Amino acid sequence: MKGGGENDLNFTMDPAPAPNPPQLAARKSVYATDDRTEFPFESKTGLILARKPSVHMALENLGISSMPPAPPSPMRSKSRMGAMMMEGLRDAGAGLSPPRAMDGDADLLQLFGDEEDQSEEGKPGEKFYVVKDMKEVDYLGESTLGDMSVRRELFDPCDNEGVAAGLGGPIEEIAKHEAREAESLLDKLKVPPRWPEGKASRGIFCSRTLSLRSITTIGYDMDYTLVHYNVKAWEGRAYDYGIAQLKSMGYPVDGLKFDPDLVMRGLIMDKEKGNLVKADRFGYVKRAMHGTKMISNRAISEMYGRELVDLRNERRWEFLNTLFSISEAGLYMQMVERLDEGAVPPECGLLDYESLFEVVSKALFKAHVEGRLKDEIISKPEHFVELDPELPLALLDQKEAGKKLLLITNSDYHYTNKMMQFAFDQFLPDGMSWRELFDMVIVSAKKPDFFTLSHPLYEVVTADGLMRPAFKAKPGGLYCGGSALMVEMALGVHGDETLYVGDHIYTDVSLSKLHLRWRTALIIRELEKEVKALAYGREHRAKLIELMNQKEIVGDVFNQLRLALQRRTVGRAAQTPAANSMDGEVLAEYMQKLLVLMGRLDQKIAPMLEADGQFFNPRWGYLSRAGLWDKSHLTRQIEKYADIYTSRVSNFLRYTPFMYFRSQSQLPHVFLDERT
């Protein structure tokens, strides 16, 4: 499968081999990485090899036999740049990285120009230039800002003729041929695929078309985005601190243990009834749990048959937006059980389910926000943080591509600095720190208000976090508080040229899109498990669908016989003469047989339908689905607010900072298990 909207898929369920951190950290140039070579320029139709008519000639110079040969060029490039490119390709083909520092770098700069002061048409003598006009759009309505273009008049006429000759004929056939050759070239150059070893679970999926080339600024959240925590360790300790807080208040918590599989992201707490529910995209409740026990379908129908989940009613409904919600929701459901049992002493006051939620929420908020837990994490980050050596390199690619990078987090400066040092610095090139990646850092941002309101702005001026008031933000600054509008003014950006990446649907993704029109990317770490679960459950689902199709066929026949009997009973003619003349006893016998058959099918289908999604979560099924075909409420939120979504930020490394993501009619990963 090709990310961002193409269909072929080969699942590889084995874990990807761990990258070699020293090799990754040794990377000092955008043109060379360990075991891969990135070409300095690309276009929408593929790689542009300097002054060569087709990818076929590049393969020839590598000594690689290609697909059906393209027409030979009548001219060979005699330019120094062309010779350098071919020399670099030969080195890459032999498993070597092309030279990083040589006279040819000046030629590369002459080709691309200096982006700092380059005009729309480029400097005189430049052969390639980057489009700077934000007003132009392509045929999909996306800005062409950041696209690379060529000034053909500066190439030798003979070379242009060679290019034209190499691309002669019907474009459909040429495109197929050149695409195959381009893929072959990347394979020979050992450029990693978009997913490690073809793993779809590491894909970036697109719900609204997005061109990274037109994005000038990329903002990142930190917790569970740039720094991923071990959920069992982090949320388990938060749960422990919450338990301790409740116990100090006199609540019965003895014997309670953290169960990370009891709840999952995307569920909704019904604080009025003490339930946890999973709703479909329309708000109908499909699964529910009271306390720690699942509720039957019949009870769900009686309880929620006449009402829909409405997240605008915040007093009643609480959506689990992030992994930080796991400990809170799990502890609340356990305490609902204790409340039902009458175990809560009178000294704790008269409690209903709604007031109990407030008590649990405050206890967990103290654990998350107050210093004890964060001090523990800072002292032993290796116990809580899951390192991703590729993640800093993905941001390095983006920065070297000219993107302005922002860090906007609700965490305080001291915690942010320690976490980023641990997660980033050891994987960056020698001597580089995480701060050098970002054009601006905002700590204690107070999201979601950061996107809609303006708070006082302070500049962090010392390593130990000393601050002073600031009247406006400046590029390169480290600040506390402020607002998104201040950031836009300081960097000279606005609206949809900014992409914001975070893990919280409401705090990070929803408000930044609704109020600022920023483009958005949602990080869902569980997506890796879900995509694999979809693959593992493919055979089960195929059998289930086959049985349901058989029941539909049988049901259609039964309904026709029932209609014939109905019409004949009131003296009307049946649908056809044959149905009208059918013997009454034969008709009744057929109907009885079909009813028994459908009953047996139901007995087989019901438990299979209940088990659909068990490879992801035995209680709640898949994140993305609510029932056999329908999307979950979480999926609807993703469709509505996230332009792209993926499991981790390092997945950007496989796509380049110039990727053009194209949307599809459905969320791509949801139907991966049904594709051939």
Side-chain angles (χ1 to χ4, degrees), residues 547-617:
L547 287 172
M548 295 188 74
N549 288 340
Q550 290 169 351
K551 185 191 174 183
E552 186 175 350
I553 293 171
V554 172
D556 285 344
V557 175
F558 177 82
N559 292 337
Q560 291 294 340
L561 296 180
R562 181 179 179 181
L563 180 60
L565 179 62
Q566 173 185 301
R567 288 184 178 183
R568 287 168 55 170
T569 300
V570 297
R572 294 177 57 214
Q575 301 94 307
T576 65
N580 205 46
S581 60
M582 188 177 187
D583 183 78
E585 290 186 6
V586 174
L587 176 62
E589 184 178 339
Y590 261 114
M591 292 179 65
Q592 181 181 5
K593 179 180 178 180
L594 293 179
L595 276 174
V596 171
L597 178 58
M598 287 190 293
R600 292 191 62 187
L601 281 170
D602 285 343
Q603 292 176 357
K604 182 72 174 180
I605 289 171
M608 289 184 68
L609 186 59
E610 189 72 21
D612 186 41
Q614 65 180 345
F615 293 109
F616 184 79
N617 187 293

Side-chain angles (χ1 to χ4, degrees), residues 257-298:
K257 294 182 179 179
F258 177 58
D259 182 0
D261 297 320
L262 185 65
V263 303
M264 67 182 192
R265 188 206 303 246
L267 301 180
I268 304 160
M269 282 187 281
D270 181 354
K271 294 177 283 187
E272 181 181 291
K273 300 182 183 295
N275 294 340
L276 190 64
V277 306
K278 183 178 186 180
D280 66 14
R281 57 179 164 160
F282 303 110
Y284 290 98
V285 175
K286 294 298 184 179
R287 297 192 187 192
M289 181 170 72
H290 183 78
T292 61
K293 296 179 178 62
M294 299 302 293
I295 302 175
S296 68
N297 289 334
R298 186 173 200 175

Side-chain angles (χ1 to χ4, degrees), residues 15 29 34 71 87 96 125 225 283 305 309 316 319 345 353 432 459 466 482 488 499 518 523 529 533 540 578 605 654:
S29 167
D34 59 299
E87 184 65 29
L96 302 175
T225 300
V309 172
R316 178 176 181 181
F319 189 72
Y353 296 126
M432 187 176 187
E459 182 180 9
L466 182 66
E488 287 190 329
L499 172 70
W518 286 5
I523 301 300
K529 181 181 177 182
H540 171 89
I605 289 171
R654 300 312 197 267

Side-chain angles (χ1 to χ4, degrees), residues 306-345:
R306 293 179 177 271
E307 61 181 335
L308 302 177
V309 172
D310 183 359
L311 297 181
R312 292 172 296 182
N313 183 357
E314 296 180 4
R315 180 173 179 178
R316 178 176 181 181
W317 307 104
E318 185 81 14
F319 189 72
L320 306 189
N321 284 288
T322 174
L323 291 173
F324 278 134
S325 306
I326 299 300
S327 54
E328 178 184 69
L331 181 53
Y332 174 60
M333 300 315 294
Q334 291 173 336
M335 290 304 298
V336 163
E337 213 161 55
R338 293 288 167 99
L339 182 64
D340 289 345
E341 294 167 354
V344 178

Side-chain angles (χ1 to χ4, degrees), residues 1 24 75 151 182 401 454 601 662:
M1 172 179 171
L24 292 175
M75 297 290 294
R151 300 180 67 180
S454 182
L601 281 170
R662 290 180 289 112

Side-chain angles (χ1 to χ4, degrees), residues 40-45 48 112 115 118-122 127-134 136-150 210-216 401 403 657-661:
F41 41 88
E42 65 176 44
S43 71
K44 291 181 181 177
T45 57
I48 304 172
F112 309 133
E115 290 192 23
Q118 177 176 280
S119 67
E120 175 67 23
E121 296 301 326
K127 296 178 179 178
F128 298 94
Y129 64 92
V130 177
V131 175
K132 297 292 184 180
D133 187 358
M134 293 185 60
E136 294 297 325
V137 297
D138 61 19
Y139 54 84
L140 292 179
E142 291 297 302
S143 170
T144 60
L145 179 69
D147 284 3
M148 181 162 280
S149 192
V150 60
L210 171 68
S211 171
L212 287 185
R213 295 192 287 272
S214 67
I215 295 297
T216 64
K403 312 295 185 188
F658 318 108
M659 182 66 189
Y660 195 108
F661 294 101

Side-chain angles (χ1 to χ4, degrees), residues 155-171:
F155 283 90
D156 293 340
C158 292
D159 283 345
N160 280 329
E161 292 174 6
V163 171
L167 297 178
I171 187 59

Side-chain angles (χ1 to χ4, degrees), residues 58-295:
L59 292 171
E60 275 190 335
N61 281 273
L62 279 169
I64 302 169
S65 58
S66 64
M67 300 292 191
S73 169
M75 297 290 294
R76 302 285 293 185
S77 172
K78 297 180 181 179
S79 72
R80 180 163 167 260
M81 185 61 207
M84 283 180 54
M85 284 295 295
M86 291 304 102
E87 184 65 29
L89 289 172
R90 279 193 291 272
D91 287 344
L96 302 175
S97 295
R100 295 180 181 174
M102 57 185 300
D103 292 341
D105 289 348
D107 289 327
L108 289 177
L109 291 176
Q110 184 180 359
L111 279 175
F112 309 133
D114 183 0
E115 290 192 23
E116 294 297 324
D117 55 0
Q118 177 176 280
S119 67
E120 175 67 23
E121 296 301 326
K123 294 179 180 179
E126 289 174 0
K127 296 178 179 178
F128 298 94
Y129 64 92
V130 177
V131 175
K132 297 292 184 180
D133 187 358
M134 293 185 60
K135 297 178 182 179
E136 294 297 325
V137 297
D138 61 19
Y139 54 84
L140 292 179
E142 291 297 302
S143 170
T144 60
L145 179 69
D147 284 3
M148 181 162 280
S149 192
V150 60
R151 300 180 67 180
R152 296 182 182 179
E153 68 274 11
L154 295 182
F155 283 90
D156 293 340
C158 292
D159 283 345
N160 280 329
E161 292 174 6
V163 171
L167 297 178
I171 187 59
E172 295 86 356
E173 296 302 319
I174 295 170
K176 289 180 183 178
H177 170 64
E178 293 292 335
R180 287 195 300 265
E181 288 192 333
E183 289 182 344
S184 176
L185 177 60
L186 293 183
D187 182 60
K188 295 296 182 181
L189 293 174
K190 301 182 181 179
V191 176
R194 288 178 182 170
W195 304 290
E197 294 76 47
K199 285 184 172 60
S201 58
R202 293 290 300 274
I204 297 179
F205 305 99
C206 180
S207 51
R208 179 190 171 198
T209 298
L210 171 68
S211 171
L212 287 185
R213 295 192 287 272
S214 67
I215 295 297
T216 64
T217 307
I218 305 179
Y220 287 99
D221 176 42
M222 184 182 75
D223 298 307
Y224 281 123
T225 300
L226 291 182
V227 177
H228 183 73
Y229 302 105
N230 181 300
V231 176
K232 290 183 179 179
W234 211 110
E235 294 304 313
R237 288 302 289 152
Y239 176 92
D240 291 341
Y241 280 113
I243 285 285
Q245 179 69 20
L246 290 176
K247 188 171 185 177
S248 70
M249 298 166 63
Y251 286 89
V253 295
D254 291 341
L256 296 182
K257 294 182 179 179
F258 177 58
D259 182 0
D261 297 320
L262 185 65
V263 303
M264 67 182 192
R265 188 206 303 246
L267 301 180
I268 304 160
M269 282 187 281
D270 181 354
K271 294 177 283 187
E272 181 181 291
K273 300 182 183 295
N275 294 340
L276 190 64
V277 306
K278 183 178 186 180
D280 66 14
R281 57 179 164 160
F282 303 110
Y284 290 98
V285 175
K286 294 298 184 179
R287 297 192 187 192
M289 181 170 72
H290 183 78
T292 61
K293 296 179 178 62
M294 299 302 293
I295 302 175

